[in-house]
Amino acid sequence: MPPLQDLLDRLHVVALPMRVRFRGITTRELALIEGPAGWGEFGAFVEYEPPEAAHWLASGIEAAYAESPPARRDRIPINATVPAVEAAEVPAVLARFPGARTAKVKVAEPGQRLADDVDRVNAVRELVPTVRVDANGGWSVEEAVKATSALTADGPLEYVEQPCATVAELAELRRRVDVLIAADESIRKAEDPLAVVRAGAADVAVLKVAPLGGISAMLRVAAQIDIPIVVSSALDSAVGIGHGLAAAAALPELRHACGLGTGRLFVDDVADPVAPVDGFLPVGPVTPDPARLEALRAPADRRQWWIDRVKTCYPLLVPSIG
């Protein structure tokens, strides 16, 4: 555990502009930690309360002060990420993910209709062979049954990610549909991240480094899961994406493309963007460009907000890291 002041002295707060609205935001704020072992990232979304955000801070500290685990592979297959855009915008979005053979499509967006989801998914199918969708827990069981039927009428889905909010709902839905169910929030936001697996509520586990407290914590969870794992980002900067790639590289087995291509959703990032090659991203540490850090620096009041947040989360780190 580094001293708090050492942590604050190493903090860089940035605001990354986004190409399209995603998770309801158009600017992604986060704090980077320039540590002795590399760069860490603390990017808990602003609405998250300190007990949840502390896990993200633990992840950033681990990355900045500890070495990454040994890699078993040097490149990771990634999926394209398609926000809840109009179907006509899909080709432009997919063009940012050259070579991707899998696409994750956001569905169940508030204010949109199921027909919008179907149109978007079908537009993706015309360009990418494997399609998965992510509802972020936005459906009831009955809505998910109806949506799954509509979304598979014109072609298969690899899986439906977090169609419903609770473990019980996921388990019920899994009994009622033929499509594979993936769990995301039911793992990363749960007091017990293994509960969804024990309940037989998912076929695929989506794991994210930062919400689980770091690479080592994610790998401990992964070691106790007997279903396929997909490593995904939490709308990370290039630094956080590097951590996700390192985690995916350390897994004993990796059957599916990972959701680590979300950097393509930013107008600008803290490091030069690395374009996927044949749908793969290379594994390796990321060092921010000083000029980009300066250009993307958040306003003084927002920097102070993140400093105050670190001070609030810091005392909660022992249970996060332990």
Side-chain angles (χ1 to χ4, degrees):
M1 276 289 292
L4 176 59
Q5 190 56 53
D6 184 64
L7 190 60
L8 295 176
D9 289 344
R10 298 174 180 273
L11 213 63
H12 300 257
V13 180
V14 295
L16 308 181
M18 302 185 62
R19 297 180 187 276
V20 294
R21 181 177 294 274
F22 193 80
R23 287 191 87 264
I25 61 175
T26 55
T27 301
R28 176 70 165 117
E29 276 189 359
L30 46 86
L32 299 176
I33 305 165
E34 185 179 3
W39 285 77
E41 178 170 320
F42 174 40
F45 294 106
V46 296
E47 68 270 20
Y48 288 5
E49 295 296 327
E52 184 173 3
H55 292 275
W56 298 62
L57 181 56
S59 177
I61 290 174
E62 179 189 64
Y65 289 84
E67 297 298 326
S68 295
R72 299 171 185 260
R73 50 191 70 83
D74 61 6
R75 63 177 195 157
I76 304 298
I78 64 157
N79 65 248
T81 299
V82 180
V85 298
E86 296 291 334
E89 298 177 58
V90 164
V93 172
L94 291 177
R96 302 183 195 124
F97 301 88
R101 307 285 293 168
T102 301
K104 180 169 82 169
V105 185
K106 290 291 184 178
V107 294
E109 182 81 358
Q112 293 190 359
R113 304 167 302 149
L114 178 56
D116 298 322
D117 294 338
V118 171
D119 290 344
R120 185 181 314 113
V121 167
N122 283 339
V124 172
R125 280 197 181 104
E126 293 181 4
L127 298 170
V128 178
T130 302
V131 180
R132 57 181 68 155
V133 299
D134 182 7
N136 290 116
W139 293 321
S140 67
V141 173
E142 294 303 325
E143 288 171 335
V145 170
K146 177 182 176 182
T148 300
S149 176
L151 292 167
T152 56
D154 299 307
L157 292 174
E158 182 184 26
Y159 59 70
V160 180
E161 181 176 329
Q162 200 67 45
C164 306
T166 70
V167 171
E169 288 174 320
L170 293 182
E172 180 184 348
L173 179 65
R174 188 166 176 252
R175 292 190 293 267
R176 294 180 57 180
V177 299
D178 293 330
V179 179
L180 298 182
I181 304 298
D184 174 11
E185 287 89 345
S186 290
I187 295 174
R188 65 181 169 89
K189 285 181 167 287
E191 290 186 12
D192 178 4
L194 300 175
V196 68
V197 177
R198 285 198 295 269
D203 303 284
V204 176
V206 178
L207 303 185
K208 298 180 178 179
V209 170
L212 290 173
I215 294 177
S216 59
M218 196 213 83
L219 292 176
R220 286 196 297 272
V221 171
Q224 302 174 71
I225 288 176
D226 60 358
I227 58 177
I229 289 169
V230 170
V231 180
S232 192
S233 87
L235 201 54
D236 305 322
S237 76
V239 170
I241 292 294
H243 304 157
L245 291 167
L251 289 171
E253 186 177 29
L254 194 63
R255 301 186 203 174
H256 298 278
C258 289
L260 296 170
T262 52
R264 313 302 291 179
L265 300 176
F266 296 128
V267 175
D268 202 0
D269 205 338
V270 296
D272 287 333
V274 178
V277 177
D278 297 328
F280 287 78
L281 282 176
V283 177
V286 174
T287 300
D289 175 2
R292 288 173 179 266
L293 282 176
E294 177 63 26
L296 296 168
R297 184 173 58 180
D301 62 324
R302 295 306 302 165
R303 172 178 168 77
Q304 187 60 50
W305 186 90
W306 281 91
I307 289 173
D308 293 342
R309 194 181 201 194
V310 170
K311 291 179 178 178
T312 301
C313 292
Y314 184 82
L316 307 176
L317 284 178
V318 174
S320 294
I321 293 177

